[in-house]
Amino acid sequence: GQFSGMMRFEARVEVVTALKKLGLYRGEAENRMRLGRCSRTNDVIEPMLKPQWWVDCSRMAKRAADAVRHGELKIIPEEHNKTWFRWLDNIRDWCVSRQLWWGHRIPAYY
């Protein structure tokens, strides 16, 4: 993009300039937030945006829930069926990139 490769402080100035040129600049406001700082260099620690990879778990969850509903899989004790269905019927996509970033293993089987 237009600001790719710029140092962060330089990019901030250029972003404001670009917004003003486009008529999209809305002004500045004081922000009294605490900034994280490096204990060695005292540099400001800023979040680094990284691409996120997601796994669509809906098909897998449907197959697992249907297996219990159709008797192919049995949950013991049966009281846990309610929890099983609550988890799998309300499944959300899984962000695996966070686990990769921290070195966690992904339970992938073939």
Side-chain angles (χ1 to χ4, degrees):
Q2 178 181 351
F3 309 107
S4 180
M6 288 184 181
M7 297 299 288
R8 64 182 181 215
F9 296 115
E10 177 188 339
R12 287 180 184 152
V13 173
E14 293 300 318
V15 166
V16 169
T17 303
L19 288 171
K20 285 179 179 177
K21 283 182 185 175
L22 295 170
L24 300 173
Y25 185 71
R26 294 178 58 183
E28 294 180 22
E30 191 68 28
N31 185 356
R32 296 174 34 108
M33 67 179 205
R34 292 182 47 162
L35 295 175
R37 295 199 172 263
C38 176
S39 60
R40 285 188 355 204
T41 64
N42 203 31
D43 197 16
V44 174
I45 299 172
E46 295 189 38
M48 182 184 298
L49 298 178
K50 292 285 203 175
Q52 301 290 303
W53 297 285
W54 298 83
V55 174
D56 179 0
C57 298
S58 57
R59 273 192 5 220
M60 176 178 55
K62 183 178 179 347
R63 286 181 56 206
D66 287 348
V68 173
R69 284 187 179 102
H70 299 137
E72 301 165 41
L73 178 67
K74 186 172 183 175
I75 305 291
I76 300 174
E78 286 190 19
E79 303 84 72
H80 292 296
N81 283 2
K82 185 176 176 182
T83 303
W84 179 262
F85 293 125
R86 187 178 69 240
W87 285 350
L88 296 178
D89 292 340
N90 297 297
I91 199 77
R92 297 188 315 206
D93 291 345
W94 174 27
C95 180
V96 294
S97 51
R98 288 198 176 128
Q99 290 185 279
L100 294 173
W101 179 260
W102 293 106
H104 298 163
R105 292 184 178 171
I106 297 173
Y109 304 97
Y110 176 72

